[in-house]
Amino acid sequence: MLGIALLFLGSWMDDRVDAQGSGQPWQLVKLGALVLSGILGLVFLLVAPLHVNNVRLASNEGLQRIQQQASQAETQLSSPDFRAQVEQRRTQIRTQIGDLLKDDQRLNQALQSGQVPDQLKNVLQQSKDNPRALDEYLEEQAKDFSNQTLTQVRDRKQQLEKQAKMGALKSQVQIGLSSLFLAIGYFIITGTGLSSVLSSPQMKPGKAPKR
């Protein structure tokens, strides 16, 4: 675009210097540049919606991948393998706490420690008289872990979807406006240049000689 504009600027300066000019070659060059400018303007005008549509299609594909990955993650949370891992971890914790309950010295240290949650301290105290208290606590913790993991998966899905949509919208606006402004610029050059060419002395018909 800059090259075409400079071409017309140079032609205009040449016309100012040589008003009577013999500038027919310049007119042919300018006409060729005008045709090229008009074609480029039309191309950018037509390409803009194509680019926007391509971005939309790519965004939809990205959203589908995000949804598939989230669905797979949610399916894994209810799979036998995941439940087996949770149960294994639950058994390990139950064994550790069971060993702790058998050692009064370690138990008292745990109850007095500021690093042990109050809820667990209550469970340790209740477990002396009610062995089921520990199992109920571990079962509740397992459910909370599954729910927290599911919430994290869904939150991550929403975050990725939001990022994908915002990125697609930003790209569509940038590409659409850039193509539109380029098309307008080329059309302005074409219209201005065509007006200049048609009004130049070289393009006006010569007067018939008097008899």
Side-chain angles (χ1 to χ4, degrees):
M1 180 184 294
L2 180 60
I4 296 176
L6 291 175
L7 173 65
F8 281 100
L9 177 60
S11 174
W12 175 78
M13 294 177 64
D14 185 67
D15 290 341
R16 297 282 293 179
V17 173
D18 185 13
Q20 299 299 323
S22 55
Q24 191 67 23
W26 262 115
Q27 301 305 318
L28 295 177
V29 173
K30 287 195 290 186
L31 285 175
L34 286 175
V35 172
L36 177 61
S37 179
I39 292 175
L40 289 174
L42 183 61
V43 168
F44 278 109
L45 187 62
L46 296 177
V47 165
L50 294 179
H51 277 302
V52 172
N53 186 59
N54 289 337
V55 172
R56 181 185 63 82
L57 294 177
S59 175
N60 290 340
E61 291 179 0
L63 291 174
Q64 289 179 357
R65 286 195 298 269
I66 293 172
Q67 293 174 355
Q68 291 175 355
Q69 292 173 356
S71 298
Q72 292 175 356
E74 291 185 17
T75 302
Q76 290 177 355
L77 293 179
S78 58
S79 66
D81 291 340
F82 180 78
R83 288 198 297 267
Q85 292 176 1
V86 173
E87 185 62 30
Q88 181 180 4
R89 180 58 179 165
R90 175 182 174 182
T91 301
Q92 291 175 351
I93 296 176
R94 193 183 192 289
T95 301
Q96 293 173 355
I97 295 179
D99 294 339
L100 180 63
L101 292 173
K102 296 177 183 178
D103 190 336
D104 291 338
Q105 183 178 357
R106 292 176 55 200
L107 178 60
N108 291 331
Q109 290 177 351
L111 293 175
Q112 295 174 2
S113 174
Q115 298 179 352
V116 178
D118 292 338
Q119 185 180 8
L120 181 55
K121 289 181 180 180
N122 294 332
V123 172
L124 292 175
Q125 291 175 343
Q126 295 173 8
S127 297
K128 293 180 178 181
D129 301 326
N130 180 17
R132 284 290 306 165
L134 178 58
D135 292 332
E136 291 174 357
Y137 170 76
L138 293 176
E139 183 177 355
E140 181 182 355
Q141 291 297 308
K143 291 181 179 179
D144 290 343
F145 175 74
S146 299
N147 292 334
Q148 289 175 1
T149 305
L150 180 60
T151 300
Q152 290 175 355
V153 170
R154 291 177 176 175
D155 289 345
R156 180 60 176 169
K157 173 189 173 184
Q158 293 179 352
Q159 181 182 3
L160 292 175
E161 287 178 341
K162 183 178 179 180
Q163 291 177 353
K165 292 178 181 179
M166 290 299 296
L169 178 61
K170 182 178 179 180
S171 181
Q172 285 177 328
V173 172
Q174 288 178 343
I175 293 175
L177 290 179
S178 297
S179 298
L180 181 61
F181 287 151
L182 285 171
I184 293 174
Y186 279 117
F187 286 143
I188 290 175
I189 291 176
T190 302
T192 304
L194 185 61
S195 175
S196 174
V197 169
L198 294 178
S199 63
S200 63
Q202 291 86 354
M203 297 298 293
K204 294 180 180 179
K207 294 182 181 179
K210 295 182 179 180
R211 295 182 180 180

